[in-house]
Amino acid sequence: MRYAKPYKNRLYMVVLFSVTLSIFAAVRPYLLKQTVDGYLKEHDSVGLLYYIILMGVVLVLEVGSQFYFTYWANWLGQDIVKDIREKLFHHITTFRMKYFDNEPVGKLVTRSVTDMESISSIFSQGLFMIVSDLMKMTVVLGIMFYMNWKLSLIVVMGMPILLYATRIFQQKMKIAFEEVRNQVANLNTFVQERVTGMKIVQLFHREEIELEKFKQINELHNKAWLKNILYNSIFFPIADILSSLTLGVVVWYGGWNIMHGDTMTTFGDLFAYTMLIGMLFNPLRQIADKFNVMQMGIIAAERVFEILDREDLVQQKGTKIAGHFKGDITLENVRFSYIDDEEVLKGINLKVNAGETIAIVGATGAGKSTIINLLNRFYEINSGRILIDGTDINEFDLDSLRRQIAIVLQDVFLFADTILNNITLNNTAITRDEVIAAAQKIGVHDFIMSLPEGYDYNVKERGAMLSSGQRQLIAFLRAYVSNPSILILDEATSSIDTYSEELIQKATDKITKGRTSIVIAHRLATVVNADKIIVMDKGMIVEEGKHYELISKPEGYYKNLYESQFAVENN
C-alpha cells in the first residue's frame, strides 16, 4: 500500500465508488419489497410505475458505480505494479555479479514479469473487491435486520458454516498456490536455458533427453494445479448448497408465518430475501475465490519484495566522482575468492603506469580475468587495495568509475537492436556522426556498410545475424566511442577470423596510444609488443617484463608457454 501514496486521489475514488456500489446494490431489494407490499398488492398502477422507474434509476447508478470502481481499481493496480516493476529492475541492476552467478535467469524473469502480473491482481481482483464485497454484505445485513429480524436470524445461522469452509479453503489454497508459483519458476528457468542453449541440445542429440526432463517438470506443475482444481471443486458446490438451503428455509418459514397470520412477515419480504440472500452469500462465496487471486498476488509479492529487500547484495557506491583518469593502476596484496576458502588471487601486487599497454597471460584459471572483474568492481575483494591514480576504487562513485573503463570481452553480448544502438547503447550523448567517424578511424566502417541496412541493421537476439568476428568488431567500436581512460581487451582476439584480427590489431594500435590498456590473451603472438607482460599461474604473478626479457629466461614460464604455443601453431 506504500506504493499507492502517489495515487491517493485515485485510491479515494475507489473507496467512494465501493461505498456507493454497496448502497445501491442493497437498496434495490428493499425497493422491491416496498413495490410488492405497497403497490402491487393494492393494485396501485401509478405507484407501481413510480417504483419501477426508481428501481431503474438505482440500477443505473449501481452499474455506473460498478464501472468506475472496477476501472479505477484496475488502473490503480497497474500503475502501482508499473512502479514496483521499475524499482525491481533498477534494484537488480545494482546487484553484485555474485548474485547473478547463483540465480537462474528464468527465476528473475518470472519475478519481473509473471509475479508482477499476480501482484496487480491484488488491487484489481483481490483486495479492493474483497473490501467492496464486505461493505456490500454489511449493508445487506443491516437492511435485512431492519426489514425482518426473524428471517435474518435464519440467514445468519447458516453463515458460520460457510465462513468456516471459506477459512479452510483459503488455507489450503495458499499452500497450493505457493507450490504452483515454485513450479512456474522451475518451468521458466528450464525453458529459458534450453532455448538459449538450443544449439548444444541439437549438436549433442539431447532432444529426447531434454524432453523427458521437461515432462517431469511439467508433470509437477500439472500436479500443483490439480490440487488447486480439487479444492475449488469441493468448496464452490458446498457454498452453493448452503445458499440454496438457507433460501429454502427462509421461504418455508416466511410462508408458514404468512399463512398463520404473522403480520411481521410479508410477501414483499420473501421477494426481497430471494435477492438479499444471493447478495449476501454470493460475495462470501466470491471472497473465497478472490482470496485465491490475492493469495497468488501475496505469494508473488513476497518473492518480489524478497529481492527488493536484499540491500546486502547492492554494490556500495563511493562518493567521489571519477573524472578522466591519467591511468595509473596499483594492486596492493589483493586477495579474492569466488567461493569461501578457495582463493583465486593470492596476494597480487601490480603496478601499471599511465599510458602503458600491459599484457596478462597464463593458463586458464590463472586469475587473469578476475583482475579485470575486480578493477570494475563486479566483485568485492577479500583483502588488499586497488588504486587508480592513487585513489582506492571503493571511494569512487560506481557509475563514474565504470564510465572511465571500457572492456571488450571474448564472449560479446549484443542486444536485439540495430548496429548503431548496440554501439552507443542508447547513449544520446554519442551521435551517429561520431560513431561513423570512429568506425572510419579504426577501419570497421566498410564492414558495417556492407550489411543490408548499414548502421540500422538489426542483429537480432545476442547478435545472431553476425559472425563471432563481426560481433567482436562491434564490441571494439562500442568500447572506443565511449572514450575511456582505461581500455581492457579480455581475450578479444581468441575466437575470430584472420581478417577481423587484422582489423582489431590495427584498431588496437590506434586507440591504445596514450591510454592505459590491459590486454588478456591466450595467443601470445598478439602481446609481444606490450610495454610489459604479466605472467600468472594459480592466482599468483610468476614473471613480469618485456617480451624479449621473458623469452630469454632459461626454463622461464613465459618462454615455455610461448615456445609450446608457437610449435602447436606451426604444426
Side-chain angles (χ1 to χ4, degrees), residues 182-466:
N182 284 331
Q183 296 307 327
V184 167
N186 291 339
L187 268 178
N188 284 345
T189 300
F190 185 89
V191 173
Q192 189 273 333
E193 287 183 345
R194 270 57 185 185
V195 171
T196 303
M198 188 56 67
K199 185 178 288 186
I200 299 298
V201 171
Q202 294 184 354
L203 277 173
F204 290 90
H205 313 292
R206 301 270 306 176
E207 294 91 341
E208 294 301 322
I209 296 173
E210 297 302 333
L211 176 60
E212 288 304 315
K213 288 184 179 179
F214 180 79
K215 284 180 178 179
Q216 293 173 13
I217 297 173
N218 198 33
E219 181 65 24
L220 291 174
H221 176 263
N222 186 48
K223 287 180 179 178
W225 269 110
L226 284 175
K227 286 184 182 179
N228 180 303
I229 294 168
L230 175 63
Y231 298 146
N232 278 282
S233 301
I234 293 172
F235 173 75
F236 290 109
I238 290 175
D240 288 338
I241 289 169
L242 285 172
S243 176
S244 299
L245 287 174
T246 302
L247 178 59
V249 173
V250 165
V251 171
W252 170 79
Y253 182 73
W256 188 87
N257 284 343
I258 292 172
M259 287 188 293
H260 287 78
D262 183 358
T263 57
M264 182 180 288
T265 305
T266 66
F267 282 107
D269 288 338
L270 296 184
F271 272 94
Y273 269 75
T274 57
M275 291 181 64
L276 289 168
I277 289 173
M279 294 173 67
L280 187 65
F281 277 76
N282 283 342
L284 192 59
R285 175 185 181 276
Q286 290 167 8
I287 282 174
D289 196 25
K290 288 161 187 171
F291 259 119
N292 295 345
V293 174
M294 201 161 76
Q295 286 290 359
M296 288 195 74
I298 289 171
I299 291 168
E302 287 174 353
R303 296 175 186 279
V304 169
F305 281 99
E306 181 186 0
I307 296 176
L308 283 172
D309 293 340
R310 292 294 301 272
E311 295 295 334
D312 59 306
L313 295 170
V314 176
Q315 293 169 300
Q316 300 303 313
K317 295 189 176 184
T319 57
K320 189 176 291 187
I321 301 299
H324 198 80
F325 293 133
K326 287 194 306 178
D328 289 318
I329 301 173
T330 306
L331 277 70
E332 297 180 350
N333 196 30
V334 172
R335 293 181 175 274
F336 173 75
S337 56
Y338 293 102
I339 302 172
D340 292 342
D341 301 324
E342 293 184 21
E343 281 193 332
V344 177
L345 298 183
K346 304 170 182 178
I348 296 293
N349 290 285
L350 177 63
K351 173 68 177 175
V352 183
N353 296 318
E356 276 189 336
T357 296
I358 72 159
I360 304 177
V361 301
T364 301
K368 305 184 298 297
S369 296
T370 299
I371 290 178
I372 307 309
N373 287 333
L374 298 181
L375 188 61
N376 280 276
R377 288 193 56 202
F378 289 140
Y379 301 87
E380 303 296 332
I381 61 178
N382 296 351
S383 63
R385 290 200 305 166
I386 300 177
L387 302 96
I388 298 180
D389 292 348
T391 302
D392 192 313
I393 60 172
N394 290 313
E395 296 179 21
F396 288 117
D397 171 77
L398 198 55
D399 295 335
S400 66
L401 171 68
R402 289 175 178 168
R403 273 195 291 269
Q404 297 304 318
I405 303 173
I407 304 181
V408 179
L409 299 170
Q410 176 184 0
D411 183 18
V412 177
F413 186 94
L414 298 181
F415 296 95
D417 207 335
T418 64
I419 294 280
L420 181 66
N421 287 339
N422 269 290
I423 293 169
T424 65
L425 295 178
N426 295 301
N427 183 352
T428 55
I430 304 173
T431 67
R432 187 187 189 94
D433 290 339
E434 288 173 338
V435 172
I436 293 173
Q440 289 172 336
K441 186 174 181 180
I442 67 173
V444 300
H445 175 71
D446 292 340
F447 142 65
I448 294 174
M449 292 307 296
S450 69
L451 298 172
E453 297 172 67
Y455 288 88
D456 296 314
Y457 181 63
N458 192 310
V459 300
K460 305 301 181 184
E461 187 175 359
R462 301 181 68 90
M465 303 305 292
L466 302 178

Side-chain angles (χ1 to χ4, degrees), residues 468-483:
S468 59
Q470 291 171 328
R471 289 196 293 271
Q472 285 286 3
L473 291 171
I474 298 302
F476 209 85
L477 184 54
R478 176 198 288 169
Y480 180 46
V481 297
S482 67
N483 190 29

